Amino acid sequence: MSLSRTGRVAAAFVAGCTLALGASAQAQELPSNIAWTAYDVGSSGYSQAVGIGAALKNERGVTLRVLPGKNDVSRLVPLREKKVHFSAFGVGAVQAMEGTDTFGSKEWGPQAIEILMMSNPDSCSQLLVAGDIGVKTVADLRGKRVAWVKGAPGLNYNAYSILQFAGLGWDDVQKVEFGGYGGSFDGLIDGQVDAVFTVSTSGAALKVFSSPRGGTWLTFPHADEAGWKRMLDASPYYFKQICKEGAGIEKPFEAVAYPYPVLIAYADQGDDLVYAMTKAMFDTYPAYKDSAPGVSGWALDRQVMQWSMPFHDGAVRYYKEAGKWTPEVQAHNDALRARNQLLQDAWKAYTAAPADDFVAGWQKARVAALEGAGLKPIWRTW
């Protein structure tokens, strides 16, 4: 998909119903119906979206339809096909933008997606381990069963990145495949797997801690420079976090986190609609800030303005008005857009004459294009 800002979307459809964008968007007000995709029911992202939807209804008379998806692909397909306006995503959005893993297949390639805003609460994002197997550190996971969710490269790469803290990889654990995010938690409770990747504020995590097996959160000592270097080399979108919020947390501990969820749109979504959505999210924040675990992270002062994805022009308009947009942030945003354009150009060149092994050939071409421009590939075959 091109990064061109021409040909803005004027309408989209959900369940065959027109989601009127035109006149309302031009007035910089949200239409009466907005649709998002989000993670599965029971996830922190879904619960937050429901709380936000209630606030939008009460404060603005706007109905937010939240379509749950069991993996990254099922969340992004409706957005790509213009059946929803936005998506509350995880770091799988970065992978989609980069065209890696599942998004390196013929059906995908680098996606021109950008963010509106993000949630940065006091939770943590890591592997939740069954409490009955004696695991205390990441190193203790060697040989244990770790969930792999089909079609969810973000979740799977995050699990890999966590393992990297102790110098482990997928070859050092037993990979147990599940068809969806919710199923992996059922597997943890039922004894089919020992660890799943999640956010500490998810409803599913609460179920695990209430189950006979119980749960354990691993610590990530902030002074362990070697461990942090290994993990950040794999996933630079992470940051050090004192985890205070979530299931089973009795006292704060040193942990790891990243923005979750991030609200995304395709770059060709209308600037006015994106501006209206961004503004409404911040304007109604007082009405939803206590509605669900982790939802407090959507506050304006919690926004990380220089992260791993560029901001959409419609959101940029809002941040400029709010005094959050600086020359340094603009330069960072421009660099991220240039990176995405480079990837899309590389994809176009590669698909014109693909290798017999399409995915492997693309990943090689991708790395070559990025390194040729002096950029770090980050997402490599793993």
Side-chain angles (χ1 to χ4, degrees):
M1 179 175 289
S2 172
L3 282 177
S4 171
R5 292 300 194 276
T6 60
R8 298 299 193 183
V9 174
F13 293 86
V14 173
C17 298
T18 299
L19 298 174
L21 308 185
S24 295
Q26 291 172 3
Q28 298 180 5
E29 295 290 341
L30 286 176
S32 58
N33 289 283
I34 284 287
W36 295 8
T37 58
Y39 277 73
D40 249 340
V41 175
S43 71
S44 176
Y46 183 84
S47 298
Q48 291 181 43
V50 170
I52 291 166
L56 289 173
K57 186 66 174 178
N58 293 334
E59 300 291 317
R60 298 294 178 86
V62 173
T63 298
L64 173 61
R65 296 171 179 166
V66 183
L67 282 62
K70 65 181 182 179
N71 56 40
D72 291 338
V73 171
S74 60
R75 281 183 291 277
L76 196 56
V77 166
L79 189 66
R80 182 178 67 175
E81 296 181 353
K82 313 298 184 187
K83 293 181 178 179
V84 299
H85 304 90
F86 306 104
S87 180
F89 230 82
V91 296
V94 184
Q95 286 185 303
M97 189 182 74
E98 293 274 326
T100 63
D101 199 85
T102 298
F103 299 110
S105 65
K106 293 179 181 179
E107 297 76 18
W108 287 97
Q111 300 294 294
I113 49 179
E114 299 179 338
I115 56 176
L116 284 70
M117 57 192 299
M118 62 188 69
S119 179
N120 283 302
D122 291 324
S123 59
C124 46
S125 311
Q126 59 186 69
L127 287 171
L128 171 55
V129 182
D132 60 356
I133 58 174
V135 167
K136 301 297 182 184
T137 69
V138 179
D140 294 337
L141 287 171
R142 185 183 295 275
K144 298 298 189 292
R145 300 168 297 173
V146 179
W148 173 286
V149 180
K150 296 178 181 178
L155 292 175
N156 300 331
Y157 192 83
N158 283 331
Y160 164 78
S161 300
I162 294 298
L163 293 172
Q164 282 285 286
F165 190 85
L168 303 179
W170 283 107
D171 291 342
D172 300 302
V173 297
Q174 299 178 54
K175 183 167 65 175
V176 182
E177 294 190 0
F178 293 92
Y181 175 78
S184 67
F185 282 94
D186 293 337
L188 186 64
I189 292 171
D190 296 339
Q192 300 170 23
V193 70
D194 299 317
V196 300
F197 186 86
T198 190
V199 179
S200 60
T201 50
S202 69
L206 183 60
K207 288 176 59 178
V208 170
F209 275 91
S210 301
S211 73
R213 297 192 78 188
T216 296
W217 295 114
L218 305 179
T219 59
F220 295 78
H222 291 179
D224 186 343
E225 294 182 4
W228 276 91
K229 183 180 186 306
R230 284 191 296 267
M231 186 169 63
L232 291 178
D233 280 348
S235 50
Y237 50 82
Y238 274 121
F239 49 78
K240 294 179 180 179
Q241 175 85 313
I242 299 298
C243 193
K244 303 176 183 178
E245 185 178 4
I249 298 175
E250 298 179 355
K251 60 181 181 179
F253 62 95
E254 293 184 336
V256 58
Y258 60 82
Y260 170 79
V262 292
L263 189 60
I264 66 170
Y266 271 88
D268 64 356
Q269 181 60 279
D271 291 354
D272 287 339
L273 179 64
V274 172
Y275 171 85
M277 185 77 257
T278 306
K279 188 176 189 302
M281 286 286 289
F282 288 122
D283 287 352
T284 61
Y285 173 77
Y288 67 76
K289 65 183 180 66
D290 299 315
S291 63
V295 77
S296 61
W298 292 102
L300 182 59
D301 62 3
R302 292 276 185 144
Q303 301 304 302
V304 176
M305 304 308 295
Q306 297 184 54
W307 191 55
S308 297
M309 294 183 68
F311 283 92
H312 192 286
D313 280 344
V316 171
R317 185 197 308 173
Y318 177 85
Y319 292 119
K320 286 181 176 179
E321 292 176 357
K324 294 279 287 185
W325 202 257
T326 67
E328 293 77 16
V329 172
Q330 182 68 57
H332 183 80
N333 218 55
D334 290 344
L336 288 172
R337 283 184 174 167
R339 179 185 178 101
N340 188 251
Q341 186 63 63
L342 174 71
L343 287 168
Q344 292 191 47
D345 290 344
W347 175 261
K348 183 177 180 180
Y350 174 72
T351 53
D356 292 337
D357 186 336
F358 185 94
V359 173
W362 159 243
Q363 293 306 325
K364 183 178 180 180
R366 174 186 169 277
V367 169
L370 289 168
E371 290 185 338
L375 301 173
K376 292 183 179 180
I378 303 172
W379 310 89
R380 296 180 182 269
T381 301
W382 48 282

